[in-house]
């Protein structure tokens, strides 16, 4: 059974409704480890060795974070800068992460239609996430499509609850190997694999 | 007329005391010499304000000595004595015995009677507790090896005074007038002994079982002056009891002090008696000054000078030898010898006591009083000489530095004081590749640091020449981390005056000290307790379940907020730094601080960039 590592980064977790619910739902699952980065490293002083060991122990990595300014919170960037070292994650000898799977689980205030060529964000989520895609590629990992929660500020508690169940389904589905590799690589959102796609 | 004379006398004594002590303090000579000089000035040989009545006055003033012994008794904590027993009995005991023997032997060889030789030897063996303790604490040397040894020696000297007071009457060649006729002489030998022992037992028993409850009963009235009156009554009563049974009043009060040293009222008693003791002792020293016969000194000027140097050299040599025996190293040992080489204020007490019993010839007495006074006056100079010339030259010698190193290793940072605070800063800098130049006055520490290759200068950092030697002219930053706020402030003013190009980073103790430093022109100051107490608070928040990152940010915000308040509140600082206002000021300041904590928007509305509430409201409106 593949094991999953959630690399969770939220600087104001105590104020977040969505991520609180998402995290709550997947806490305590078998073979799922949650690494709460802002709790672990409030001073941005990342213990690189610990992080590397965690990476080596898991098969599927999920960057879970709010989609701040079309990107990630500062600490996650710091994490990538320090942990994905040359010789470990990339480079000739940097093969330790080879064949691991990785994707983003993000929340954003913008709607699905806003993240289109014609929408006011002008690019799709997938385009914005090119940074992660290429990072995965350089580290010889497989980049999966993102799990996205749109309109996060407008959601009712019931809708949030619904999304957290979807997230649970995605995480356990990956862990239990339910999805076919073809579908995984082809889908634009992880949401589609459990039959809950966003549509225009 | 008599009344007028009394008032006139009081005015003369008080005024000259105030002026004399003030001047002496400013010259760094200490209060005792100030009183002594004032006494000399108003005495018959300079201004002649007081004449023969100086001697009568001495009897009144001797009560100051009685009180001093009471306070010394109070300060002798059994625990402390026990902990330092090796140094007190060994080093201290040997110093007193050996010095007494050598000086006494020389006097005997010079033709004094054996009684006189013993009195002179034992009296001159004692050093000046007041001067030495004050100097050592001013230079924060009390905690060094030599400081501790000096303290132990002074303690054993203080204790040695008691047997001396008891022994002198036994050696007496004539009886003082007050003792010729007293209550006890009506009894025969064994009855006298019985009464004396009874009196001592009375003091011990009442100290244990009666005085305590009595003070508690008085304390209930909450009248401070009543408590003071009780304390004075206690001292007077014991002194009178001792006079009745024919013993020395000083002895009795010392005993009472020791008995009360463990009582809960010890500190209160000490502070109540202290001003009386101080003034009466001052009067005593003035009387001593007024009775010095300058005609004798003038005719024996050479003798006096050679006595001063001979005696100090002799005492110093004995101390140096003993210090070596007790394992003190080079400069520490030298410091011990230098600090205790003078004769002390007890000499004045014991000389007048010995004079009453006719132990020492009055002419010689006058000479010796002058010798003691001069040796006391020389002590501060001797300290300076040791610090600047003797110690650096012979003991804490710089290791030879190759000339080219001097240029390469031009240190950019100077750390003044490598104690509790400075050592952390220094270690941190060194761990990050910056080896600062360190100035410190604890020679043990200096030795250790040199072993590890630190560049260390030994001595008082607030000296211009030392700073210059340490490269202050080329350095960029000075970190001031000395042990007391006073030292830090002095250092700041030296740097501001002589090395204005240096950036000052100073340790500060509390808000008040910070204000002092800010007023002295320090831009970068660091309150000792601020960071650590906020860190503690943040950890407490974390344990209560708040997010680590959130508490970290809260701590940072609060730190900034508190530093802002500091720089703003200094505007409201009351100009009058009078004693009464301080407490009140502090509480108003605390109130102001708490109000500001509650109002600061930075604290209340931090991180609104991450606040989804406002975004949510905005999103719903759209």
């Amino acid at each position: 059974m593949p094991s999953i590592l959630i690399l969770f980064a939220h600087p104001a977790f105590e104020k977040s409704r969505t991520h609180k619910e998402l995290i709550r739902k997947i806490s305590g699952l078998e073979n799922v480890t949650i690494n709460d980065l802002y709790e672990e490293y409030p001073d941005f002083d990342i213990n690189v060795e610990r992080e590397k060991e965690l990476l080596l122990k898991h098969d599927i990595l999920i960057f879970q974070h709010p989609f701040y300014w079309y990107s990630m919170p500062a600490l996650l960037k710091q994490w990538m800068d320090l942990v994905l070292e040359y010789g470990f994650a990339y480079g000739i000898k940097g093969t330790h992460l080879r064949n691991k799977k990785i994707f983003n689980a993000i929340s954003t205030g913008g709607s699905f239609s806003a993240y289109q060529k014609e929408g006011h964000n002008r690019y799709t989520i997938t385009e914005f996430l090119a940074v992660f895609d290429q990072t995965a590629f350089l580290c010889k990992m497989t980049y999966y499509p993102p799990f996205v929660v749109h309109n996060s500020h407008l959601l009712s508690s019931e809708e949030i609850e619904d999304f957290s169940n979807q997230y649970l389904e995605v995480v356990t589905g990956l862990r239990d190997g339910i999805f076919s590799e073809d579908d995984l690589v082809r889908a634009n959102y992880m949401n589609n694999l459990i039959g809950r796609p966003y549509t225009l | 007329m008599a009344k007028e004379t009394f008032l006139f006398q009081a005015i003369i004594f008080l005024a000259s005391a105030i002026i004399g002590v003030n001047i002496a303090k400013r010259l760094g000579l200490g209060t005792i010499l100030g009183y002594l000089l004032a006494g000399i000035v108003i005495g018959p040989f300079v201004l002649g304000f007081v004449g023969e009545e100086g001697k009568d006055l001495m009897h009144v003033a001797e009560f100051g000595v009685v009180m001093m012994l009471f306070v010394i008794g109070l300060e002798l904590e059994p625990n402390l004595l026990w902990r330092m027993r090796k140094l007190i009995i060994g080093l201290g005991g040997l110093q007193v015995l050996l010095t007494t023997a050598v000086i006494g032997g020389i006097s005997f060889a010079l033709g004094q009677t054996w009684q006189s030789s013993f009195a002179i030897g034992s009296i001159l063996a004692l050093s000046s507790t007041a001067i030495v303790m004050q100097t050592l604490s001013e230079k924060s040397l009390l905690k060094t090896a030599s400081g501790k040894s000096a303290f132990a020696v002074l303690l054993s000297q203080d204790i040695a005074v008691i047997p001396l007071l008891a022994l002198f009457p036994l050696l007496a060649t004539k009886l003082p007038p007050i003792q010729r006729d007293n209550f006890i002489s009506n009894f025969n030998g064994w009855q006298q002994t019985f009464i004396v022992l009874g009196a001592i037992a009375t003091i011990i028993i009442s100290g244990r079982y009666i005085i305590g409850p009595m003070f508690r009963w008085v304390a209930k009235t909450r009248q401070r002056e009543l408590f003071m009156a009780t304390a004075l009554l206690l001292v007077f009563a014991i002194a009178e009891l001792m006079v009745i049974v024919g013993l020395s009043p000083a002895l009795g009060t010392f005993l009472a002090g020791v008995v009360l040293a463990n009582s809960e009222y010890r500190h209160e008693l000490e502070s109540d008696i202290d001003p009386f003791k101080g003034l009466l002792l001052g009067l005593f020293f003035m009387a001593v000054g007024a009775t010095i016969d300058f005609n004798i000194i003038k005719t024996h000027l050479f003798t006096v000078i050679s006595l001063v140097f001979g005696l100090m050299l002799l005492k110093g040599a004995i101390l140096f030898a003993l210090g070596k025996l007790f394992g003190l190293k080079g400069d520490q040992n030298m410091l011990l010898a230098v600090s205790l080489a003078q004769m002390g204020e007890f000499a004045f007490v014991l000389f007048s006591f010995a004079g009453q019993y006719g132990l020492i010839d009055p002419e010689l007495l006058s000479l010796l009083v002058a010798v003691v006074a001069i040796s006391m006056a020389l002590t501060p100079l001797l300290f300076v000489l040791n610090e600047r010339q003797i110690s650096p030259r012979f003991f804490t010698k710089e290791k030879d530095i190759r000339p080219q190193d001097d240029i390469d290793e031009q240190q950019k940072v100077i750390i003044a004081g490598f104690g509790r605070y400075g050592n952390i800063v220094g270690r941190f800098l060194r761990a990050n590749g910056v080896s600062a130049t360190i100035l410190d006055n604890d020679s043990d520490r200096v030795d250790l640091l040199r072993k590890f290759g630190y560049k260390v200068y030994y001595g008082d950092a607030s000296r211009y020449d030392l700073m210059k030697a340490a490269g202050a002219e080329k350095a960029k930053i000075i970190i001031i981390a000395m042990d007391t706020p006073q030292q830090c402030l002095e250092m700041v003013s030296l740097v501001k005056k002589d090395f204005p190009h240096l950036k000052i980073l100073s340790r500060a103790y509390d808000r008040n000290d910070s204000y002092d430093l800010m007023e002295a022109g320090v831009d970068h100051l660091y309150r000792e307790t601020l960071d650590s107490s906020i860190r503690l608070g943040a950890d407490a928040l974390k344990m209560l379940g708040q997010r680590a990152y959130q508490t970290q940010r809260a701590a940072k915000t609060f730190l900034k907020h508190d530093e802002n308040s500091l720089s703003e509140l200094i505007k409201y600082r009351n100009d009058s730094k009078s004693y009464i206002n301080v407490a009140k000021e502090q509480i108003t300041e605390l109130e102001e601080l708490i109000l500001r904590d509650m109002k600061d928007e930075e604290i209340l509305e931090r991180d609104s960039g991450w606040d989804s509430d406002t975004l949510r409201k905005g999103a719903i409106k759209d």
Side-chain angles (χ1 to χ4, degrees):
Chain A
M1 193 193 285
S3 56
I4 296 178
L5 175 64
I6 316 269
L7 291 154
F8 175 61
H10 200 314
F13 184 53
E14 65 281 359
K15 290 178 182 169
S16 158
R17 298 187 306 149
T18 316
H19 286 277
K20 235 183 252 165
E21 203 48 40
L22 297 185
I23 287 289
R24 199 178 65 81
K25 203 55 103 179
I26 57 161
S27 294
L29 288 180
E30 198 192 344
N31 274 357
V32 175
T33 310
I34 300 173
N35 186 17
D36 186 343
L37 293 177
Y38 272 97
E39 188 66 12
E40 205 66 50
Y41 308 118
D43 46 6
F44 278 49
D45 189 11
I46 288 167
N47 181 347
V48 176
E49 285 312 307
R50 171 184 181 268
E51 294 302 309
K52 281 188 192 168
E53 271 171 39
L54 274 176
L55 290 179
L56 292 177
K57 269 192 246 162
H58 295 85
D59 308 302
I60 301 171
L61 316 174
I62 306 178
F63 287 139
Q64 183 187 335
H65 57 92
F67 200 48
Y68 287 156
W69 286 107
Y70 314 108
S71 185
M72 65 196 114
L75 181 55
L76 186 54
K77 182 65 169 59
Q78 175 102 329
W79 182 95
M80 288 173 69
D81 293 351
L82 295 177
V83 180
L84 302 180
E85 283 175 352
Y86 177 81
F88 171 77
Y90 68 102
I92 298 167
K93 286 182 182 165
T95 55
H96 292 87
L97 300 180
R98 186 162 55 190
N99 293 333
K100 291 188 190 298
K101 325 290 179 200
I102 183 165
F103 70 99
N104 297 65
I106 58 174
S107 64
T108 166
S111 64
F112 183 61
S113 56
Y115 281 97
Q116 303 298 330
K117 202 168 184 222
E118 309 75 29
H120 69 254
N121 287 328
R122 296 168 56 228
Y123 298 93
T124 63
I125 292 279
T126 311
E127 283 166 339
F128 279 122
L129 291 176
V131 172
F132 292 94
D133 190 351
Q134 170 56 23
T135 302
F137 178 77
L138 191 67
C139 300
K140 304 163 192 79
M141 296 190 277
T142 311
Y143 187 67
Y144 282 165
F147 174 80
V148 185
V149 180
H150 279 293
N151 302 319
S152 61
H153 305 314
L154 297 171
L155 298 178
S156 67
S157 323
E158 292 76 31
E159 287 167 317
I160 290 176
E161 168 81 23
D162 185 33
F163 273 108
S164 68
N165 282 325
Q166 291 178 39
Y167 190 45
L168 177 68
E169 221 180 313
V170 168
V171 171
T172 49
L174 284 165
R175 183 192 63 182
D176 302 337
I178 289 172
F179 312 121
S180 81
E181 197 67 21
D182 268 3
D183 289 347
L184 277 168
V185 180
R186 215 174 298 136
N188 71 330
Y189 278 9
M190 206 51 106
N191 311 45
N192 305 359
L193 291 171
I194 49 167
R196 301 293 298 276
Y198 277 102
T199 47
L200 284 169
Chain B
M1 186 62 201
K3 218 176 193 177
E4 258 178 45
T5 349
F6 169 73
L7 273 182
F8 180 69
Q9 288 253 324
I11 290 167
I12 291 289
F13 271 95
L14 289 174
S16 56
I18 292 166
I19 297 167
V21 172
N22 231 315
I23 292 173
K25 271 248 149 188
R26 262 152 227 250
L27 294 176
L29 294 177
T31 43
I32 294 169
L33 287 169
Y35 283 123
L36 213 57
L37 286 175
I40 293 171
V41 170
I42 60 173
F45 294 93
V46 184
L47 295 179
F49 282 132
V50 283
E52 268 308 296
E53 61 269 41
K55 275 222 165 73
D56 303 330
L57 205 76
M58 199 118 148
H59 295 304
V60 180
E62 265 164 16
F63 214 78
V65 178
V66 171
M67 287 181 166
M68 173 169 74
L69 279 157
F70 181 64
V71 172
I72 287 176
L74 275 179
E75 280 169 355
L76 288 181
E77 283 173 85
N79 287 338
L80 185 74
L81 292 182
W82 182 247
R83 249 186 294 133
M84 301 184 71
R85 63 190 181 280
K86 198 182 138 211
L87 280 178
I88 293 175
I89 297 170
L91 184 60
L94 278 175
Q95 187 270 337
V96 174
L97 290 179
L98 214 60
T99 317
T100 304
V102 173
I103 298 177
I106 293 171
S107 328
F108 192 68
L110 292 175
Q112 292 291 320
T113 62
W114 69 269
Q115 290 98 331
S116 167
S117 303
F118 171 74
I120 291 172
S122 57
I123 292 171
L124 295 181
L126 307 178
S127 313
S128 169
T129 309
I131 289 179
V132 178
M133 291 302 281
Q134 199 181 343
T135 313
L136 290 181
S137 85
E138 269 170 11
K139 293 183 185 290
S140 64
L141 291 170
L142 275 178
K143 294 219 171 99
T144 62
S146 56
K148 277 185 191 148
S149 308
F151 181 65
V153 173
L154 288 170
L155 260 182
S156 38
Q157 291 179 354
D158 285 356
I159 298 169
V161 171
I162 305 308
L164 290 181
L165 283 175
L167 276 173
F168 282 5
L170 300 179
L171 306 174
T173 51
K174 75 168 192 210
L175 278 180
I178 37 160
Q179 296 226 335
R180 261 183 224 137
D181 179 42
N182 59 28
F183 159 78
I184 202 167
S185 48
N186 299 329
F187 296 90
N188 60 31
W190 66 268
Q191 279 171 323
Q192 282 191 12
T193 314
F194 186 73
I195 291 169
V196 167
L197 287 178
I200 291 174
T202 309
I203 291 176
I204 293 175
I205 291 168
S206 61
R208 278 274 150 89
Y209 301 105
I210 299 173
I211 297 174
M214 186 172 87
F215 274 120
R216 230 162 284 146
W217 181 67
V218 174
K220 269 191 200 141
T221 62
R222 291 180 187 284
Q223 297 290 315
R224 197 176 153 75
E225 68 274 15
L226 210 60
F227 197 91
M228 221 184 269
T230 318
L232 285 177
L233 174 69
L234 176 73
V235 176
F236 287 161
I238 292 167
E240 181 58 24
L241 178 69
M242 289 290 106
V243 171
I244 288 173
V245 301
L247 286 178
S248 143
L251 242 157
T253 49
F254 174 78
L255 195 62
V258 174
V259 173
L260 289 173
N262 270 337
S263 84
E264 68 214 87
Y265 291 106
R266 181 183 140 213
H267 291 292
E268 215 154 353
L269 275 173
E270 228 178 299
S271 63
D272 280 348
I273 295 287
D274 228 38
F276 294 101
K277 179 202 88 174
L279 268 181
L280 281 174
L281 263 185
L283 198 60
F284 174 78
F285 292 132
M286 285 169 77
V288 171
T291 46
I292 293 177
D293 190 340
F294 275 86
N295 289 328
I296 296 175
I297 293 170
K298 230 184 279 165
T299 46
H300 296 96
L301 192 61
F302 179 72
T303 321
V304 170
I305 292 170
S306 41
L307 268 177
V308 169
F309 286 102
L311 282 169
M312 288 181 85
L313 210 62
L314 184 67
K315 285 187 77 173
I318 290 173
L319 279 161
F320 194 82
L322 287 175
K324 201 154 205 170
L325 191 68
F326 279 78
L328 280 180
K329 279 177 287 171
D331 62 318
Q332 294 278 352
N333 200 6
M334 193 65 208
L335 188 64
L336 176 76
V338 162
S339 53
L340 297 175
Q342 81 294 102
M343 275 60 78
E345 59 274 14
F346 268 122
F348 302 135
V349 177
L350 290 170
F351 275 143
S352 81
F353 196 63
Q356 284 171 29
Y357 288 96
L359 283 177
I360 304 172
D361 169 58
E363 207 166 292
L364 181 60
L365 214 62
S366 238
L367 276 185
L368 289 176
V369 167
V371 168
V372 171
I374 294 170
S375 82
M376 284 167 77
L378 284 178
T379 301
L381 297 175
L382 204 56
F383 265 109
V384 172
L385 188 73
N386 177 50
E387 199 173 277
R388 303 202 184 169
Q389 298 294 331
I390 304 173
S391 234
R393 195 157 299 171
F394 297 103
F395 301 107
T396 40
K397 227 177 190 170
E398 282 302 312
K399 285 191 188 103
D400 292 328
I401 302 167
R402 281 168 296 147
Q404 67 265 36
D405 283 354
D406 237 5
I407 305 155
D408 293 345
E409 287 181 10
Q410 198 53 63
Q411 312 291 330
K412 299 254 165 57
V413 182
I414 296 174
I415 300 179
F418 209 66
R420 213 158 60 82
Y421 193 97
N423 89 70
I424 301 176
V425 182
R427 279 169 40 222
F428 172 72
L429 291 181
R430 187 164 160 114
N432 288 284
V434 174
S435 44
T437 304
I438 295 159
L439 308 179
D440 198 68
N441 62 357
D442 180 333
S443 67
D444 284 342
R445 205 149 55 200
V446 168
D447 283 347
L448 177 84
L449 292 173
R450 287 207 180 130
K451 231 182 272 167
F452 283 105
Y454 282 82
K455 194 166 183 193
V456 194
Y457 287 82
Y458 169 74
D460 181 1
S462 58
R463 270 169 38 205
Y464 175 79
D465 54 335
L466 194 71
M467 280 289 285
K468 211 173 149 169
E473 281 166 331
K474 286 180 187 155
K476 277 193 174 156
I477 289 174
I478 177 149
I479 294 163
I480 300 179
M482 290 150 105
D483 282 339
T484 67
Q486 197 49 43
Q487 287 173 314
C488 287
L489 270 176
E490 275 168 21
M491 192 70 211
V492 168
S493 64
L494 172 89
V495 173
K496 281 272 163 195
K497 188 168 79 76
D498 295 324
F499 308 100
H501 68 283
L502 284 175
K503 271 207 179 76
I504 303 178
L505 282 77
S506 176
R507 160 197 201 175
Y509 294 79
D510 50 16
R511 303 188 73 87
N512 237 326
D513 183 38
S514 305
Y515 292 147
D516 287 341
L517 287 166
M518 282 158 87
E519 278 169 0
V522 177
D523 295 326
H524 308 278
L525 46 90
Y526 304 85
R527 275 173 285 157
E528 285 184 349
T529 51
L530 183 64
D531 296 63
S532 113
S533 35
I534 291 180
R535 223 150 50 84
L536 186 151
D539 278 351
L541 285 180
K542 231 186 282 178
M543 283 174 201
L544 290 173
Q546 294 208 19
R547 297 272 297 167
Y549 188 58
Q550 139 82 10
T551 57
Q552 155 109 356
R553 308 235 344 130
K556 286 259 158 75
T557 315
F558 194 84
L559 189 76
K560 243 180 263 167
H561 156 82
D562 199 68
E563 289 191 325
N564 284 340
S565 326
L566 186 75
S567 55
E568 289 195 11
L569 283 185
I570 192 174
K571 287 182 256 175
Y572 306 117
R573 194 187 193 193
N574 203 333
D575 279 335
S576 70
K577 286 174 194 155
S578 73
Y579 166 75
I580 303 160
N581 272 336
V582 172
K584 204 179 151 203
E585 221 172 78
Q586 276 170 357
I587 204 76
T588 340
E589 195 190 342
L590 184 63
E591 187 186 358
E592 175 74 13
L593 276 175
I594 293 171
L595 283 174
R596 290 172 69 92
D597 294 348
M598 290 174 2
K599 278 190 292 200
D600 192 330
E601 292 185 353
E602 278 281 311
I603 291 183
L604 300 178
E605 292 169 29
R606 189 161 39 81
D607 302 338
S608 45
W610 293 327
D611 194 347
S612 28
D613 273 349
T614 46
L615 287 173
R616 207 166 293 143
K617 275 174 210 149
I620 291 166
K621 252 186 234 162
D622 292 344

